[in-house]
Amino acid sequence: MSTPQALLAAGPGFLAPEWLISTFGLIGILAVVFAESGLLIGFFLPGDSLLFTAGLLVADGRYLHQPLWLLCLLVAVAAVAGDQVGYAFGRRVGPGLFRRPDSRLFKREYVERANLFFARYGARSIVLARFVPVVRTFTPIIAGVSRMHYRTFLVFNILGGVLWGAGVTVLGYFLGQIGVVRSNIEVILIGIVVVSVLPIGVQLLRSRRRAAASR
């Protein structure tokens, strides 16, 4: 996949998965996964498409020369560590997070959305949120704010980190070896983004309908 094509598939040039990987390598992947998993500023990072592309590039032998199992292990560790930091941050900041004013990189809407997701799915949200952009960044923080039992959080955090981190990477590795996927990788990456944000759109639509019905 050429750089211009990657830019079209992933938006801003500095967020293009192949550019990130070719420039920063494995360290860049782990840094993005860690930041997106639990730092407030990480919600805009391309986690899903980055992991899919990483798996594809491992299959190609381009930029990444580590074995697949090692990449999956390190990604899962980075994802779990990120959520741990998010949880600790939530416990420290507490309800004050909901009163934080909006800024260019922070919107209370994101926290409220993650809070609704957490309230609906409980402990399962730690796993399910992994597959929903923005929500996966704020859910561990909400778990900390809510004082979720630490051992319960840790178990679901590890499970979610492995399923998402290793799962999406392995998916990219094997699908990347299929000719039709390789020749349409830009479309695949766009599709990943669309599928990832679809649950958010559905939830927002339902919330608006409920709000309209209650008037």
Side-chain angles (χ1 to χ4, degrees):
M1 177 171 57
S2 65
T3 300
Q5 291 171 320
L7 299 186
L8 290 173
F14 67 92
L15 294 181
E18 187 172 351
W19 183 86
L20 285 169
I21 294 171
S22 64
T23 304
F24 300 106
L26 178 60
I27 297 300
I29 296 172
L30 300 181
V32 168
V33 169
F34 176 84
E36 195 194 14
S37 293
L39 302 184
L40 283 175
I41 61 172
F43 66 89
F44 64 90
L45 295 171
D48 297 313
S49 56
L50 181 68
L51 294 183
F52 186 90
T53 303
L56 185 151
L57 293 177
V58 166
D60 269 359
R62 281 191 296 158
Y63 308 133
L64 297 172
H65 304 290
Q66 295 81 10
L68 179 64
W69 69 267
L70 180 59
L71 176 63
C72 290
L73 175 62
L74 294 177
V75 165
V77 169
V80 171
D83 264 25
Q84 291 296 119
V85 170
Y87 177 85
F89 178 79
R91 286 188 67 94
R92 182 177 181 83
V93 172
L97 184 64
F98 290 90
R99 298 190 295 269
R100 180 173 177 172
D102 287 351
S103 66
R104 293 182 64 183
L105 291 178
F106 176 83
K107 296 287 187 288
R108 279 182 295 177
E109 173 192 351
Y110 302 151
V111 177
E112 292 166 0
R113 188 184 305 167
N115 190 45
L116 289 173
F117 193 89
F118 182 79
R120 180 176 182 181
Y121 296 106
R124 292 178 299 163
S125 65
I126 306 302
V127 175
L128 298 176
R130 286 289 188 183
F131 300 89
V132 185
V134 179
V135 173
R136 71 166 150 257
T137 301
F138 290 94
T139 297
I141 298 175
I142 298 302
V145 171
S146 303
R147 295 295 194 270
M148 181 179 182
H149 193 279
Y150 178 73
R151 289 186 179 178
T152 301
F153 173 80
L154 181 61
V155 170
F156 282 92
N157 180 23
I158 293 174
L159 179 60
V162 172
L163 288 177
W164 176 69
V168 177
T169 304
V170 170
L171 186 66
Y173 179 86
F174 286 105
L175 289 184
Q177 299 181 55
I178 301 175
V180 66
V181 174
R182 292 177 59 82
S183 60
N184 295 280
I185 187 60
E186 297 83 14
V187 177
I188 298 296
L189 290 179
I190 293 174
I192 290 174
V193 174
V194 171
V195 171
S196 296
V197 301
L198 186 60
I200 297 178
V202 172
Q203 187 63 32
L204 287 176
L205 182 60
R206 288 177 176 174
S207 298
R208 289 178 180 177
R209 286 181 176 176
R210 285 196 295 266
S214 62
R215 293 176 183 174

